[in-house]
Amino acid sequence: MSRTITKTDWHPASWQRMPAAQQASYPDQPALDRAVADLSRLPPIVTSWEVDALKDHISKAQRGEAFVLQGGDCAETFDECTSENIVAKLKILLQMSLVMLYGLKKPVVRVGRMAGQYAKPRSADTETRAGNSLPSFRGDLVNRSSFTAADRIPDPQMILRGYERAALTLNFVRSLIDGGFADLHHPEYWDLGWVGHSAMADEYHEIVKSISNSLDFLETISGEAVHKTQRADIYAAHEGLHLLYEQSQTRYLDRRERWYNLTTHFPWIGMRTAAMDGAHVEYFRGIANPMGIKIGPGMTGEWLQDLISVLNPNNEPGRLTLIHRFGSKAIEECLPDMITAVRETGSPVLWVCDPMHGNTESTADGTKTRRFDNIVSELELAFRVHESMGSYLGGVHLELTGENVTECTGGARGLTDGDLARAYKSTVDPRLNYEQAMEVAMRIAGLHHANAKISRKKT
Ligand code: PEP
Ligand code: MN
């Protein structure tokens, strides 16, 4: 068993007693206080019913009865809060989940990195260009990306603008789903207009046809509809980084006798903010939401056991998801010790592989990219290591977009470093494009193999 850590006196602002990594310094304290007070009065973005429903889905995935697909941008931006972008993200998540459902023969729980993924951790507090140093860009929730002194000053009003964008995003997603957009009978709604001919899309349409035939068959013989559309069929997740934002929407629900973070269904603790004595762990331990912890090569077995004992002291099912991101080179060495350490705690956890963040590299001209082969290799190794240890890999966490970008190299079209400049839109980490994301989904579903190359054609 891990060491017992006793902590008491939690409240939504108790994290303020601890060192808080990755927080912005706001020069105008009264303006910040006003923004936090405003946000604290506004209605929640999600409800505790939805949060608890997701926890229940995650506990099923922990038992091997479901698979979790988490995906979306590295960072959402206020500018990209548009109908087209939201629909494209929804479509790619729905298409991938359909492929995975078909191949894995298990329910797929869809969780978007969306509706609040606006704050980013940074490796340095300042950025220097041509001898001029300014505060780093920390995401649209904090300041603006353009390199001017005025734009880089953390602006408290952006907390409110972020809350509004998150609410607008989720409102649109919910309306689409309630209106029948996610209905399995109409997968044609999910086609992306720009895709046109692509072997991935062809493969996908074959699967859709086969599912439609099975649905028709089952409904004919049973006389009932097989699939009912459900509210909150797509859950929202973001890194719980900006603690004043998270705190402001943390509410005590008498009915449940627990505190909930109602900015999102599923917040996660990033790699840089998981210190045991840090503010993030203090904040997260008090909320009832299911939560993720990112685990990289710096994590030790003892540290992970301590995190589990503080974040899930009662071994509650559905509560903890461990998102490992070791990189394809380190996973075989690092993951087994983590699985052993977790086992000793007795806590159920959901293991999810993030094959993106451990495989980031720079091209000769300094462009941040990820190689498709490394992403797929880490995923395959993750499945293999878990299986060999009698553990279950129950999900995947990806940075992806439904748009036609060129940010990661490789994949069926064999994108090279030279292709990156063509459509590189991310201001932070590189994302899988539509075809690369579908190929990952097909690999997970066991439907597509490395040698099935698409003839190289420029998009
Ligand atoms: C991220 O998910 O974008 C991120 C910053 O990840 P990590 O904390 O794993 O580095
Ligand atoms: Mn990222």
Side-chain angles (χ1 to χ4, degrees), residues 99-136:
V99 166
M100 289 156 74
L101 168 80
Y102 180 78
L104 297 172
K105 310 215 172 346
K106 287 182 188 184
V108 175
V109 185
R110 305 147 184 148
V111 183
R113 279 177 68 113
M114 68 195 301
Q117 179 53 17
Y118 292 122
K120 294 308 295 174
R122 301 313 308 248
S123 47
D125 285 340
T126 54
E127 181 182 345
T128 304
R129 290 191 200 172
N132 184 14
S133 289
L134 294 176
S136 293

Side-chain angles (χ1 to χ4, degrees), residues 108-347:
V108 175
V109 185
R110 305 147 184 148
V111 183
R113 279 177 68 113
M114 68 195 301
Q117 179 53 17
Y118 292 122
K120 294 308 295 174
R122 301 313 308 248
S123 47
D125 285 340
T126 54
E127 181 182 345
T128 304
R129 290 191 200 172
N132 184 14
S133 289
L134 294 176
S136 293
F137 172 56
R138 292 187 175 277
D140 282 0
L141 200 60
V142 175
N143 54 3
R144 294 173 185 83
S145 62
S146 25
F147 195 73
T148 70
D151 283 332
R152 290 295 174 91
I153 296 171
D155 175 356
Q157 282 298 309
M158 295 182 81
I159 300 174
L160 291 160
R161 301 294 85 78
Y163 159 85
E164 289 154 5
R165 293 287 201 288
L168 292 170
T169 302
L170 212 52
N171 177 58
F172 187 41
V173 168
R174 285 198 183 100
S175 302
L176 284 167
I177 288 174
D178 282 354
F181 185 79
D183 188 338
L184 270 183
H185 298 87
H186 293 286
E188 72 277 10
Y189 296 165
W190 316 342
D191 281 339
L192 286 146
W194 62 265
V195 171
H197 179 77
S198 138
M200 277 312 143
D202 291 349
E203 233 175 297
Y204 166 70
H205 284 119
E206 285 302 311
I207 294 173
V208 167
K209 212 184 296 164
S210 161
I211 292 175
S212 296
N213 290 343
S214 312
L215 274 179
D216 288 350
F217 175 70
L218 282 172
E219 293 182 349
T220 308
I221 58 167
S222 72
E224 280 173 31
V226 170
H227 180 265
K228 294 193 191 70
T229 53
Q230 272 180 9
R231 198 172 172 77
D233 202 20
I234 297 221
Y235 294 93
H238 67 248
E239 179 173 347
L241 184 71
H242 192 306
L243 290 173
L244 285 172
Y245 179 75
E246 311 299 328
Q247 172 200 313
S248 306
Q249 284 274 318
T250 302
R251 308 277 155 83
Y252 186 75
L253 298 183
D254 288 332
R255 198 168 27 82
R256 318 238 162 185
E257 299 182 338
R258 296 186 76 169
W259 294 87
Y260 283 77
N261 177 340
L262 296 176
T263 62
T264 190
H265 303 112
F266 180 102
W268 76 83
I269 303 183
M271 261 302 290
R272 297 163 187 78
T273 49
M276 281 310 298
D277 55 358
H280 290 79
V281 171
E282 170 62 13
Y283 170 76
F284 272 75
R285 79 183 172 94
I287 55 171
N289 303 55
M291 58 184 64
I293 310 172
K294 290 280 204 104
I295 295 174
M299 182 58 66
T300 64
E302 195 186 12
W303 181 4
L304 186 53
Q305 290 180 338
D306 286 348
L307 284 167
I308 292 172
S309 84
V310 166
L311 295 172
N312 196 20
N314 302 318
N315 291 352
E316 190 187 347
R319 167 107 172 138
L320 288 187
T321 296
L322 302 181
I323 307 167
H324 52 76
R325 25 89 82 231
F326 292 115
S328 62
K329 292 192 184 65
I331 181 169
E332 285 173 292
E333 196 190 323
C334 298
L335 182 56
D337 289 350
M338 297 296 123
I339 296 175
T340 305
V342 170
R343 231 171 232 155
E344 287 169 7
T345 68
S347 167

Side-chain angles (χ1 to χ4, degrees), residues 77-88 165 169 172:
T77 66
F78 291 179
D79 273 355
E80 285 162 5
C81 181
T82 64
S83 159
E84 295 75 28
N85 276 314
I86 296 166
V87 168
R165 293 287 201 288
T169 302
F172 187 41

Side-chain angles (χ1 to χ4, degrees), residues 73-75 113 117 120 294 356-357 370 399 428-430:
D73 300 308
C74 179
R113 279 177 68 113
Q117 179 53 17
K120 294 308 295 174
K294 290 280 204 104
M356 312 299 292
H357 288 89
R370 291 161 174 157
E399 288 184 343
V428 270
D429 288 341

